[in-house]
Amino acid sequence: MKNPIVKWVIYILGAAVAFSLASAGGIFFLLTRLDMRGEVERIVESATHRDLTITGDVGVSFYPVIGIRADDASLANVPGGRAPALASVKTISLGVEILPLVLRRDVIVRRLVLTDPRIALEIDAAGEPNWSFERRPPGQPSPPSAPPVNQAPPPQQQPQQAQRQFTLREVVIDNGEISYFDARKNGGWSVADVDMKTSVQSLDAPIDIAGSLNYAGQNVELDVTAAAPRAILSGAKTRISATIGSELLEASFDGELATETGDYAGDVEATGPNLRRVIGWLVAPIEAGYGLEAFSVTGKIATGDREVSFENAAFHVDQIAGRGDFVLREFRNKPYVSGRLEVFDVDLNPYLAAATRPSANREAIAEAAAAPARVVDVTAPPTETPFDFAGLKAINADLEITTGPLKIHRIQAQRTLMSLVINDGYLASTIHRVDMYGGSGRGRLEFDARLPEVRIVQELVADGVEARGFLSDAFGYDKLEGRTELNLNVRMNGQNQSSLIRSLDGRATFELRSGVLHGVDLGGVATTIRRALNNDLVSPNARTQLTGMSASFAIADGVMGTENISFNTPDLQLRGLGVIDLPQRTMDVRVVPQRAVLAIPFRVSGPWGAFRYESDVQGRARRELEPRVRAIRAASR
């Protein structure tokens, strides 16, 4: 995973401070000897235990401050490092105050400017950073240490000399480049166009840094405070606070940083106009789909082992708000999120609308989401529009999700508890509980979009569901009213809605305890078939009062077959068998009244919305339907 911006600032600061302080430690000697180049190299090498090479000119100016300039300097890397130099600088320019130097021989560097520095930060396989100057090759004796900033040498080292003070007040980095590589993780990053300004009063006093850099094509403005610069150099932990601003992200952080590993933990706030672009910038690209735009997040953040974790985070993405504990990492070059989420109000239709309309503009998508399609609409023929599930392949996940109101197509749930796994286009969800339409249920969903033909497996058991609302929203059928029990186990595959319906296989059972069937009076049809033929008993105002209704279906190739349809009314019972052809959008059912005087078996057949009612006293419909139902049952899986 690419490291977040907070790390860059500390690494830049550490390298700049280390290089600058080492250079400042030799200022006094540089001013009092003729061989300035040699003295600077010797003093810096003594302080850092690294070779300093100056190949350009070294010069001095005396007004208005004593100024020193060195061109083309480089500080060697550790033995075995990837880069030949820890830091190389085109020009080092600094200004020293005259009066403290003359009166007290104190070296106070008013301003140090590093022009075109190139800094290569590395951590080796043993976890040692190359910017720690205390590390020495095995067996090498400790060289004499340079006096630290703002601290005089011990009296015994200079018994005949007054104490001298070294102070570095301001450091400027102009047009720098910083790279970072961690051999333990075999990964790193680089930043360019680094322009920074900071002040260093003491290694044990807070240090402020402000400026800008460019990371992965984005310009970033920074303002950071580190509590202990000495910890930056030694690899220890330090307190930091930071604000970050860019076109994609506005963020603030207050917490603790382990400079040796680059890991940090603390409180974070972040907002931006497009989460999709931020994830692509910092983690891995999300190429397809719609949504994941405006976002905000607050909570506790921590990094480690190439992952970013959020604890007790409150978030808002698009129109979805929630909270939770989750981890974001990169896995097989994709964003991978895991954890626990509670989402308050979810409408998935903007994303589904985009999946079925890849070329639609935002206004068209919003319009489609406002009036979403049904899962299967019996009032309209299935579409041949190809599905585009590329968005499902763009991110992987392993989540426990609790939702408030949830809307998918026109189906609405009041509360859902589910487990969700997404793996390279394969989605598996266990629905532990779903409350919808006054009832509750549980189930399982598999959605495999790894091949051109998507494969769907759906299992659902629900009880107490209000039939009219559910069937209307799911299928466009609003003729049945009452509380129902559903049991669904189906599979399908295809590239569009039409092919999915044609491939539908499985089983389904349906039971209604009491309710109303609108649009027909079945009791009247059974006893007065002639009136049914004249549409006297089949009209929008006709109705059948039901004390119970049930059916179990076998499903093969989109055709549903049953031999145990049961309608119970206050006056009679009706039993039947039949076939419902979803691809052709037709139905053919034979109904036989039970325990009724002058009841007539009848057949209901024809396309949706244009059923014909006719008597079947001779049993012709039964002889035609029975073998079809047996074939469907045998073919169903």
Side-chain angles (χ1 to χ4, degrees), residues 347-350 352-353 356-357 365 367-381 383 387 407-412 472-476 497:
D347 185 353
L348 297 180
N349 287 306
L352 297 174
T356 56
R357 298 168 176 80
I365 291 171
E367 182 180 352
R374 296 179 171 90
V375 179
V376 176
D377 195 338
V378 299
T379 66
T383 69
F387 293 131
K407 188 172 184 180
I408 176 169
H409 294 289
R410 296 197 183 190
I411 297 176
Q412 301 182 61
S472 176
D473 287 343
F475 308 112
Q497 187 185 62

PDB file of all heavy atoms in Angstrom, residues 347-350 352-353 356-357 365 367-381 383 387 407-412 472-476 497:
ATOM      1  N   ASP A 347     -29.504   3.508  -0.150  1.00  0.00           N
ATOM      2  CA  ASP A 347     -30.192   3.365  -1.432  1.00  0.00           C
ATOM      3  C   ASP A 347     -29.144   2.926  -2.451  1.00  0.00           C
ATOM      4  O   ASP A 347     -28.268   3.693  -2.836  1.00  0.00           O
ATOM      5  CB  ASP A 347     -30.834   4.690  -1.852  1.00  0.00           C
ATOM      6  CG  ASP A 347     -31.676   4.557  -3.126  1.00  0.00           C
ATOM      7  OD1 ASP A 347     -31.650   3.470  -3.750  1.00  0.00           O
ATOM      8  OD2 ASP A 347     -32.348   5.527  -3.497  1.00  0.00           O
ATOM      9  N   LEU A 348     -29.215   1.672  -2.885  1.00  0.00           N
ATOM     10  CA  LEU A 348     -28.238   1.122  -3.817  1.00  0.00           C
ATOM     11  C   LEU A 348     -28.571   1.411  -5.274  1.00  0.00           C
ATOM     12  O   LEU A 348     -27.796   1.071  -6.169  1.00  0.00           O
ATOM     13  CB  LEU A 348     -28.119  -0.395  -3.615  1.00  0.00           C
ATOM     14  CG  LEU A 348     -27.606  -0.849  -2.246  1.00  0.00           C
ATOM     15  CD1 LEU A 348     -27.540  -2.368  -2.201  1.00  0.00           C
ATOM     16  CD2 LEU A 348     -26.241  -0.252  -1.940  1.00  0.00           C
ATOM     17  N   ASN A 349     -29.709   2.025  -5.537  1.00  0.00           N
ATOM     18  CA  ASN A 349     -30.152   2.179  -6.923  1.00  0.00           C
ATOM     19  C   ASN A 349     -29.254   3.066  -7.783  1.00  0.00           C
ATOM     20  O   ASN A 349     -29.112   2.786  -8.982  1.00  0.00           O
ATOM     21  CB  ASN A 349     -31.596   2.688  -6.947  1.00  0.00           C
ATOM     22  CG  ASN A 349     -32.554   1.590  -6.528  1.00  0.00           C
ATOM     23  OD1 ASN A 349     -32.559   0.513  -7.087  1.00  0.00           O
ATOM     24  ND2 ASN A 349     -33.351   1.858  -5.500  1.00  0.00           N
ATOM     25  N   PRO A 350     -28.639   4.136  -7.261  1.00  0.00           N
ATOM     26  CA  PRO A 350     -27.723   4.878  -8.132  1.00  0.00           C
ATOM     27  C   PRO A 350     -26.608   3.997  -8.692  1.00  0.00           C
ATOM     28  O   PRO A 350     -26.201   4.152  -9.833  1.00  0.00           O
ATOM     29  CB  PRO A 350     -27.164   5.968  -7.201  1.00  0.00           C
ATOM     30  CG  PRO A 350     -28.239   6.177  -6.199  1.00  0.00           C
ATOM     31  CD  PRO A 350     -28.819   4.813  -5.962  1.00  0.00           C
ATOM     32  N   LEU A 352     -26.768   0.593  -9.026  1.00  0.00           N
ATOM     33  CA  LEU A 352     -27.365  -0.395  -9.934  1.00  0.00           C
ATOM     34  C   LEU A 352     -27.756   0.258 -11.248  1.00  0.00           C
ATOM     35  O   LEU A 352     -27.611  -0.335 -12.317  1.00  0.00           O
ATOM     36  CB  LEU A 352     -28.588  -1.030  -9.286  1.00  0.00           C
ATOM     37  CG  LEU A 352     -28.311  -1.838  -8.011  1.00  0.00           C
ATOM     38  CD1 LEU A 352     -29.616  -2.287  -7.388  1.00  0.00           C
ATOM     39  CD2 LEU A 352     -27.416  -3.013  -8.305  1.00  0.00           C
ATOM     40  N   ALA A 353     -28.246   1.493 -11.174  1.00  0.00           N
ATOM     41  CA  ALA A 353     -28.610   2.188 -12.409  1.00  0.00           C
ATOM     42  C   ALA A 353     -27.390   2.373 -13.292  1.00  0.00           C
ATOM     43  O   ALA A 353     -27.442   2.209 -14.507  1.00  0.00           O
ATOM     44  CB  ALA A 353     -29.231   3.549 -12.078  1.00  0.00           C
ATOM     45  N   THR A 356     -26.313  -0.965 -15.109  1.00  0.00           N
ATOM     46  CA  THR A 356     -27.089  -1.378 -16.277  1.00  0.00           C
ATOM     47  C   THR A 356     -27.109  -0.314 -17.361  1.00  0.00           C
ATOM     48  O   THR A 356     -27.584  -0.563 -18.451  1.00  0.00           O
ATOM     49  CB  THR A 356     -28.537  -1.684 -15.862  1.00  0.00           C
ATOM     50  OG1 THR A 356     -29.096  -0.537 -15.203  1.00  0.00           O
ATOM     51  CG2 THR A 356     -28.575  -2.871 -14.912  1.00  0.00           C
ATOM     52  N   ARG A 357     -26.590   0.889 -17.057  1.00  0.00           N
ATOM     53  CA  ARG A 357     -26.561   1.975 -18.034  1.00  0.00           C
ATOM     54  C   ARG A 357     -25.159   2.575 -18.062  1.00  0.00           C
ATOM     55  O   ARG A 357     -24.922   3.672 -17.586  1.00  0.00           O
ATOM     56  CB  ARG A 357     -27.582   3.060 -17.661  1.00  0.00           C
ATOM     57  CG  ARG A 357     -29.023   2.554 -17.647  1.00  0.00           C
ATOM     58  CD  ARG A 357     -29.924   3.585 -16.989  1.00  0.00           C
ATOM     59  NE  ARG A 357     -31.308   3.192 -17.022  1.00  0.00           N
ATOM     60  CZ  ARG A 357     -31.843   2.335 -16.173  1.00  0.00           C
ATOM     61  NH1 ARG A 357     -31.109   1.780 -15.253  1.00  0.00           N
ATOM     62  NH2 ARG A 357     -33.111   2.009 -16.257  1.00  0.00           N
ATOM     63  N   ILE A 365     -28.813   8.844 -14.664  1.00  0.00           N
ATOM     64  CA  ILE A 365     -28.669   7.886 -13.576  1.00  0.00           C
ATOM     65  C   ILE A 365     -29.518   8.307 -12.383  1.00  0.00           C
ATOM     66  O   ILE A 365     -30.202   7.495 -11.756  1.00  0.00           O
ATOM     67  CB  ILE A 365     -27.199   7.751 -13.179  1.00  0.00           C
ATOM     68  CG1 ILE A 365     -26.426   7.051 -14.302  1.00  0.00           C
ATOM     69  CG2 ILE A 365     -27.042   6.960 -11.890  1.00  0.00           C
ATOM     70  CD1 ILE A 365     -24.934   7.058 -14.114  1.00  0.00           C
ATOM     71  N   GLU A 367     -32.202  10.081 -12.456  1.00  0.00           N
ATOM     72  CA  GLU A 367     -33.602   9.877 -12.814  1.00  0.00           C
ATOM     73  C   GLU A 367     -33.989   8.404 -12.690  1.00  0.00           C
ATOM     74  O   GLU A 367     -35.058   8.060 -12.170  1.00  0.00           O
ATOM     75  CB  GLU A 367     -33.850  10.362 -14.240  1.00  0.00           C
ATOM     76  CG  GLU A 367     -35.305  10.226 -14.696  1.00  0.00           C
ATOM     77  CD  GLU A 367     -35.491  10.715 -16.128  1.00  0.00           C
ATOM     78  OE1 GLU A 367     -34.539  11.282 -16.684  1.00  0.00           O
ATOM     79  OE2 GLU A 367     -36.599  10.533 -16.663  1.00  0.00           O
ATOM     80  N   ALA A 368     -33.094   7.516 -13.151  1.00  0.00           N
ATOM     81  CA  ALA A 368     -33.369   6.083 -13.049  1.00  0.00           C
ATOM     82  C   ALA A 368     -33.409   5.637 -11.595  1.00  0.00           C
ATOM     83  O   ALA A 368     -34.209   4.777 -11.218  1.00  0.00           O
ATOM     84  CB  ALA A 368     -32.313   5.294 -13.819  1.00  0.00           C
ATOM     85  N   ALA A 369     -32.553   6.210 -10.765  1.00  0.00           N
ATOM     86  CA  ALA A 369     -32.537   5.841  -9.355  1.00  0.00           C
ATOM     87  C   ALA A 369     -33.792   6.316  -8.643  1.00  0.00           C
ATOM     88  O   ALA A 369     -34.277   5.678  -7.703  1.00  0.00           O
ATOM     89  CB  ALA A 369     -31.295   6.421  -8.677  1.00  0.00           C
ATOM     90  N   ALA A 370     -34.350   7.450  -9.082  1.00  0.00           N
ATOM     91  CA  ALA A 370     -35.567   7.964  -8.462  1.00  0.00           C
ATOM     92  C   ALA A 370     -36.776   7.093  -8.784  1.00  0.00           C
ATOM     93  O   ALA A 370     -37.719   7.015  -7.999  1.00  0.00           O
ATOM     94  CB  ALA A 370     -35.807   9.401  -8.920  1.00  0.00           C
ATOM     95  N   ALA A 371     -36.783   6.426  -9.945  1.00  0.00           N
ATOM     96  CA  ALA A 371     -37.867   5.511 -10.321  1.00  0.00           C
ATOM     97  C   ALA A 371     -37.234   4.186 -10.741  1.00  0.00           C
ATOM     98  O   ALA A 371     -37.159   3.866 -11.927  1.00  0.00           O
ATOM     99  CB  ALA A 371     -38.702   6.099 -11.457  1.00  0.00           C
ATOM    100  N   PRO A 372     -36.713   3.408  -9.783  1.00  0.00           N
ATOM    101  CA  PRO A 372     -35.932   2.219 -10.126  1.00  0.00           C
ATOM    102  C   PRO A 372     -36.781   1.115 -10.741  1.00  0.00           C
ATOM    103  O   PRO A 372     -37.984   1.032 -10.529  1.00  0.00           O
ATOM    104  CB  PRO A 372     -35.361   1.776  -8.772  1.00  0.00           C
ATOM    105  CG  PRO A 372     -36.328   2.317  -7.764  1.00  0.00           C
ATOM    106  CD  PRO A 372     -36.822   3.606  -8.325  1.00  0.00           C
ATOM    107  N   ALA A 373     -36.097   0.270 -11.497  1.00  0.00           N
ATOM    108  CA  ALA A 373     -36.771  -0.882 -12.095  1.00  0.00           C
ATOM    109  C   ALA A 373     -37.007  -1.951 -11.039  1.00  0.00           C
ATOM    110  O   ALA A 373     -36.416  -1.939  -9.965  1.00  0.00           O
ATOM    111  CB  ALA A 373     -35.914  -1.439 -13.230  1.00  0.00           C
ATOM    112  N   ARG A 374     -37.904  -2.900 -11.369  1.00  0.00           N
ATOM    113  CA  ARG A 374     -38.148  -4.035 -10.498  1.00  0.00           C
ATOM    114  C   ARG A 374     -37.163  -5.150 -10.816  1.00  0.00           C
ATOM    115  O   ARG A 374     -36.521  -5.159 -11.854  1.00  0.00           O
ATOM    116  CB  ARG A 374     -39.586  -4.523 -10.662  1.00  0.00           C
ATOM    117  CG  ARG A 374     -40.635  -3.502 -10.244  1.00  0.00           C
ATOM    118  CD  ARG A 374     -42.041  -4.035 -10.461  1.00  0.00           C
ATOM    119  NE  ARG A 374     -43.047  -3.157  -9.885  1.00  0.00           N
ATOM    120  CZ  ARG A 374     -43.630  -2.158 -10.537  1.00  0.00           C
ATOM    121  NH1 ARG A 374     -43.303  -1.919 -11.800  1.00  0.00           N
ATOM    122  NH2 ARG A 374     -44.526  -1.399  -9.940  1.00  0.00           N
ATOM    123  N   VAL A 375     -37.054  -6.109  -9.897  1.00  0.00           N
ATOM    124  CA  VAL A 375     -36.199  -7.261 -10.143  1.00  0.00           C
ATOM    125  C   VAL A 375     -36.665  -7.987 -11.396  1.00  0.00           C
ATOM    126  O   VAL A 375     -35.902  -8.227 -12.333  1.00  0.00           O
ATOM    127  CB  VAL A 375     -36.216  -8.212  -8.924  1.00  0.00           C
ATOM    128  CG1 VAL A 375     -35.347  -9.429  -9.203  1.00  0.00           C
ATOM    129  CG2 VAL A 375     -35.728  -7.481  -7.685  1.00  0.00           C
ATOM    130  N   VAL A 376     -37.932  -8.377 -11.427  1.00  0.00           N
ATOM    131  CA  VAL A 376     -38.595  -8.929 -12.609  1.00  0.00           C
ATOM    132  C   VAL A 376     -39.949  -8.250 -12.690  1.00  0.00           C
ATOM    133  O   VAL A 376     -40.737  -8.317 -11.758  1.00  0.00           O
ATOM    134  CB  VAL A 376     -38.776 -10.458 -12.519  1.00  0.00           C
ATOM    135  CG1 VAL A 376     -39.544 -10.963 -13.727  1.00  0.00           C
ATOM    136  CG2 VAL A 376     -37.430 -11.160 -12.410  1.00  0.00           C
ATOM    137  N   ASP A 377     -40.226  -7.610 -13.795  1.00  0.00           N
ATOM    138  CA  ASP A 377     -41.464  -6.844 -13.925  1.00  0.00           C
ATOM    139  C   ASP A 377     -42.426  -7.621 -14.819  1.00  0.00           C
ATOM    140  O   ASP A 377     -42.203  -7.756 -16.030  1.00  0.00           O
ATOM    141  CB  ASP A 377     -41.169  -5.476 -14.530  1.00  0.00           C
ATOM    142  CG  ASP A 377     -42.327  -4.502 -14.349  1.00  0.00           C
ATOM    143  OD1 ASP A 377     -43.471  -4.981 -14.151  1.00  0.00           O
ATOM    144  OD2 ASP A 377     -42.095  -3.287 -14.406  1.00  0.00           O
ATOM    145  N   VAL A 378     -43.518  -8.151 -14.212  1.00  0.00           N
ATOM    146  CA  VAL A 378     -44.482  -8.920 -14.996  1.00  0.00           C
ATOM    147  C   VAL A 378     -45.313  -8.016 -15.897  1.00  0.00           C
ATOM    148  O   VAL A 378     -46.020  -8.511 -16.771  1.00  0.00           O
ATOM    149  CB  VAL A 378     -45.405  -9.740 -14.068  1.00  0.00           C
ATOM    150  CG1 VAL A 378     -44.599 -10.725 -13.256  1.00  0.00           C
ATOM    151  CG2 VAL A 378     -46.231  -8.830 -13.157  1.00  0.00           C
ATOM    152  N   THR A 379     -45.222  -6.707 -15.695  1.00  0.00           N
ATOM    153  CA  THR A 379     -45.998  -5.794 -16.539  1.00  0.00           C
ATOM    154  C   THR A 379     -45.230  -5.359 -17.776  1.00  0.00           C
ATOM    155  O   THR A 379     -45.781  -4.645 -18.610  1.00  0.00           O
ATOM    156  CB  THR A 379     -46.398  -4.547 -15.726  1.00  0.00           C
ATOM    157  OG1 THR A 379     -45.220  -3.815 -15.381  1.00  0.00           O
ATOM    158  CG2 THR A 379     -47.128  -4.934 -14.451  1.00  0.00           C
ATOM    159  N   ALA A 380     -43.973  -5.753 -17.899  1.00  0.00           N
ATOM    160  CA  ALA A 380     -43.163  -5.341 -19.049  1.00  0.00           C
ATOM    161  C   ALA A 380     -42.245  -6.488 -19.442  1.00  0.00           C
ATOM    162  O   ALA A 380     -41.831  -7.275 -18.589  1.00  0.00           O
ATOM    163  CB  ALA A 380     -42.340  -4.101 -18.707  1.00  0.00           C
ATOM    164  N   PRO A 381     -41.926  -6.615 -20.714  1.00  0.00           N
ATOM    165  CA  PRO A 381     -41.027  -7.684 -21.148  1.00  0.00           C
ATOM    166  C   PRO A 381     -39.624  -7.479 -20.595  1.00  0.00           C
ATOM    167  O   PRO A 381     -39.199  -6.339 -20.372  1.00  0.00           O
ATOM    168  CB  PRO A 381     -41.049  -7.576 -22.674  1.00  0.00           C
ATOM    169  CG  PRO A 381     -41.456  -6.174 -22.955  1.00  0.00           C
ATOM    170  CD  PRO A 381     -42.375  -5.782 -21.840  1.00  0.00           C
ATOM    171  N   THR A 383     -35.632  -7.020 -20.403  1.00  0.00           N
ATOM    172  CA  THR A 383     -34.756  -6.258 -21.289  1.00  0.00           C
ATOM    173  C   THR A 383     -33.598  -7.128 -21.777  1.00  0.00           C
ATOM    174  O   THR A 383     -33.217  -8.109 -21.156  1.00  0.00           O
ATOM    175  CB  THR A 383     -34.191  -5.034 -20.562  1.00  0.00           C
ATOM    176  OG1 THR A 383     -33.271  -5.465 -19.561  1.00  0.00           O
ATOM    177  CG2 THR A 383     -35.309  -4.229 -19.913  1.00  0.00           C
ATOM    178  N   PHE A 387     -25.606  -6.453 -18.926  1.00  0.00           N
ATOM    179  CA  PHE A 387     -25.165  -5.991 -17.619  1.00  0.00           C
ATOM    180  C   PHE A 387     -23.699  -5.563 -17.694  1.00  0.00           C
ATOM    181  O   PHE A 387     -22.922  -6.065 -18.508  1.00  0.00           O
ATOM    182  CB  PHE A 387     -25.294  -7.107 -16.574  1.00  0.00           C
ATOM    183  CG  PHE A 387     -26.706  -7.496 -16.270  1.00  0.00           C
ATOM    184  CD1 PHE A 387     -27.080  -8.829 -16.266  1.00  0.00           C
ATOM    185  CD2 PHE A 387     -27.654  -6.543 -15.955  1.00  0.00           C
ATOM    186  CE1 PHE A 387     -28.375  -9.205 -15.974  1.00  0.00           C
ATOM    187  CE2 PHE A 387     -28.955  -6.898 -15.662  1.00  0.00           C
ATOM    188  CZ  PHE A 387     -29.322  -8.242 -15.666  1.00  0.00           C
ATOM    189  N   LYS A 407     -32.759   0.062   0.336  1.00  0.00           N
ATOM    190  CA  LYS A 407     -33.554   0.000  -0.888  1.00  0.00           C
ATOM    191  C   LYS A 407     -32.699  -0.535  -2.015  1.00  0.00           C
ATOM    192  O   LYS A 407     -31.608  -0.033  -2.283  1.00  0.00           O
ATOM    193  CB  LYS A 407     -34.082   1.393  -1.247  1.00  0.00           C
ATOM    194  CG  LYS A 407     -35.086   1.393  -2.400  1.00  0.00           C
ATOM    195  CD  LYS A 407     -35.704   2.766  -2.575  1.00  0.00           C
ATOM    196  CE  LYS A 407     -36.782   2.753  -3.663  1.00  0.00           C
ATOM    197  NZ  LYS A 407     -37.397   4.078  -3.842  1.00  0.00           N
ATOM    198  N   ILE A 408     -33.206  -1.599  -2.676  1.00  0.00           N
ATOM    199  CA  ILE A 408     -32.543  -2.169  -3.837  1.00  0.00           C
ATOM    200  C   ILE A 408     -33.609  -2.465  -4.873  1.00  0.00           C
ATOM    201  O   ILE A 408     -34.567  -3.186  -4.586  1.00  0.00           O
ATOM    202  CB  ILE A 408     -31.722  -3.420  -3.464  1.00  0.00           C
ATOM    203  CG1 ILE A 408     -31.121  -4.060  -4.704  1.00  0.00           C
ATOM    204  CG2 ILE A 408     -32.528  -4.409  -2.669  1.00  0.00           C
ATOM    205  CD1 ILE A 408     -30.096  -5.131  -4.400  1.00  0.00           C
ATOM    206  N   HIS A 409     -33.451  -1.905  -6.077  1.00  0.00           N
ATOM    207  CA  HIS A 409     -34.538  -1.838  -7.040  1.00  0.00           C
ATOM    208  C   HIS A 409     -35.712  -1.155  -6.332  1.00  0.00           C
ATOM    209  O   HIS A 409     -35.531  -0.079  -5.771  1.00  0.00           O
ATOM    210  CB  HIS A 409     -34.885  -3.223  -7.577  1.00  0.00           C
ATOM    211  CG  HIS A 409     -33.781  -3.825  -8.403  1.00  0.00           C
ATOM    212  ND1 HIS A 409     -33.439  -3.362  -9.647  1.00  0.00           N
ATOM    213  CD2 HIS A 409     -32.930  -4.853  -8.137  1.00  0.00           C
ATOM    214  CE1 HIS A 409     -32.438  -4.070 -10.133  1.00  0.00           C
ATOM    215  NE2 HIS A 409     -32.106  -4.972  -9.237  1.00  0.00           N
ATOM    216  N   ARG A 410     -36.904  -1.775  -6.311  1.00  0.00           N
ATOM    217  CA  ARG A 410     -38.012  -1.172  -5.563  1.00  0.00           C
ATOM    218  C   ARG A 410     -38.267  -1.872  -4.232  1.00  0.00           C
ATOM    219  O   ARG A 410     -39.167  -1.499  -3.484  1.00  0.00           O
ATOM    220  CB  ARG A 410     -39.288  -1.201  -6.409  1.00  0.00           C
ATOM    221  CG  ARG A 410     -39.172  -0.360  -7.668  1.00  0.00           C
ATOM    222  CD  ARG A 410     -40.521  -0.064  -8.270  1.00  0.00           C
ATOM    223  NE  ARG A 410     -40.390   0.684  -9.514  1.00  0.00           N
ATOM    224  CZ  ARG A 410     -41.408   1.237 -10.161  1.00  0.00           C
ATOM    225  NH1 ARG A 410     -42.632   1.111  -9.681  1.00  0.00           N
ATOM    226  NH2 ARG A 410     -41.212   1.905 -11.288  1.00  0.00           N
ATOM    227  N   ILE A 411     -37.489  -2.895  -3.946  1.00  0.00           N
ATOM    228  CA  ILE A 411     -37.664  -3.637  -2.696  1.00  0.00           C
ATOM    229  C   ILE A 411     -37.057  -2.832  -1.558  1.00  0.00           C
ATOM    230  O   ILE A 411     -35.936  -2.326  -1.658  1.00  0.00           O
ATOM    231  CB  ILE A 411     -37.012  -5.020  -2.799  1.00  0.00           C
ATOM    232  CG1 ILE A 411     -37.703  -5.842  -3.894  1.00  0.00           C
ATOM    233  CG2 ILE A 411     -37.090  -5.757  -1.469  1.00  0.00           C
ATOM    234  CD1 ILE A 411     -37.062  -7.187  -4.126  1.00  0.00           C
ATOM    235  N   GLN A 412     -37.786  -2.752  -0.454  1.00  0.00           N
ATOM    236  CA  GLN A 412     -37.333  -1.974   0.691  1.00  0.00           C
ATOM    237  C   GLN A 412     -37.309  -2.859   1.933  1.00  0.00           C
ATOM    238  O   GLN A 412     -38.235  -3.629   2.177  1.00  0.00           O
ATOM    239  CB  GLN A 412     -38.249  -0.777   0.928  1.00  0.00           C
ATOM    240  CG  GLN A 412     -38.338   0.162  -0.266  1.00  0.00           C
ATOM    241  CD  GLN A 412     -39.202   1.365   0.015  1.00  0.00           C
ATOM    242  OE1 GLN A 412     -38.916   2.144   0.914  1.00  0.00           O
ATOM    243  NE2 GLN A 412     -40.261   1.522  -0.755  1.00  0.00           N
ATOM    244  N   SER A 472     -45.672  -6.351  -5.364  1.00  0.00           N
ATOM    245  CA  SER A 472     -45.763  -5.186  -6.236  1.00  0.00           C
ATOM    246  C   SER A 472     -44.389  -4.579  -6.481  1.00  0.00           C
ATOM    247  O   SER A 472     -44.017  -4.265  -7.614  1.00  0.00           O
ATOM    248  CB  SER A 472     -46.699  -4.147  -5.630  1.00  0.00           C
ATOM    249  OG  SER A 472     -46.727  -2.976  -6.410  1.00  0.00           O
ATOM    250  N   ASP A 473     -43.602  -4.418  -5.412  1.00  0.00           N
ATOM    251  CA  ASP A 473     -42.284  -3.819  -5.568  1.00  0.00           C
ATOM    252  C   ASP A 473     -41.322  -4.740  -6.301  1.00  0.00           C
ATOM    253  O   ASP A 473     -40.479  -4.280  -7.082  1.00  0.00           O
ATOM    254  CB  ASP A 473     -41.707  -3.461  -4.195  1.00  0.00           C
ATOM    255  CG  ASP A 473     -42.400  -2.259  -3.578  1.00  0.00           C
ATOM    256  OD1 ASP A 473     -43.084  -1.520  -4.310  1.00  0.00           O
ATOM    257  OD2 ASP A 473     -42.254  -2.054  -2.357  1.00  0.00           O
ATOM    258  N   ALA A 474     -41.424  -6.046  -6.059  1.00  0.00           N
ATOM    259  CA  ALA A 474     -40.477  -6.977  -6.668  1.00  0.00           C
ATOM    260  C   ALA A 474     -40.859  -7.340  -8.097  1.00  0.00           C
ATOM    261  O   ALA A 474     -39.988  -7.442  -8.972  1.00  0.00           O
ATOM    262  CB  ALA A 474     -40.371  -8.234  -5.820  1.00  0.00           C
ATOM    263  N   PHE A 475     -42.153  -7.554  -8.358  1.00  0.00           N
ATOM    264  CA  PHE A 475     -42.573  -8.114  -9.648  1.00  0.00           C
ATOM    265  C   PHE A 475     -43.636  -7.293 -10.374  1.00  0.00           C
ATOM    266  O   PHE A 475     -44.013  -7.632 -11.496  1.00  0.00           O
ATOM    267  CB  PHE A 475     -43.101  -9.539  -9.457  1.00  0.00           C
ATOM    268  CG  PHE A 475     -42.153 -10.428  -8.706  1.00  0.00           C
ATOM    269  CD1 PHE A 475     -42.467 -10.886  -7.439  1.00  0.00           C
ATOM    270  CD2 PHE A 475     -40.942 -10.799  -9.260  1.00  0.00           C
ATOM    271  CE1 PHE A 475     -41.594 -11.703  -6.741  1.00  0.00           C
ATOM    272  CE2 PHE A 475     -40.067 -11.618  -8.574  1.00  0.00           C
ATOM    273  CZ  PHE A 475     -40.393 -12.067  -7.298  1.00  0.00           C
ATOM    274  N   GLY A 476     -44.162  -6.263  -9.732  1.00  0.00           N
ATOM    275  CA  GLY A 476     -45.220  -5.494 -10.368  1.00  0.00           C
ATOM    276  C   GLY A 476     -46.582  -6.154 -10.269  1.00  0.00           C
ATOM    277  O   GLY A 476     -47.519  -5.767 -10.982  1.00  0.00           O
ATOM    278  N   GLN A 497     -31.156  -9.226 -18.356  1.00  0.00           N
ATOM    279  CA  GLN A 497     -32.327  -9.653 -17.601  1.00  0.00           C
ATOM    280  C   GLN A 497     -33.069 -10.783 -18.308  1.00  0.00           C
ATOM    281  O   GLN A 497     -33.515 -11.745 -17.667  1.00  0.00           O
ATOM    282  CB  GLN A 497     -33.260  -8.465 -17.385  1.00  0.00           C
ATOM    283  CG  GLN A 497     -34.427  -8.766 -16.455  1.00  0.00           C
ATOM    284  CD  GLN A 497     -35.389  -7.606 -16.357  1.00  0.00           C
ATOM    285  OE1 GLN A 497     -35.991  -7.213 -17.351  1.00  0.00           O
ATOM    286  NE2 GLN A 497     -35.532  -7.049 -15.156  1.00  0.00           N
TER     287      GLN A 497
END
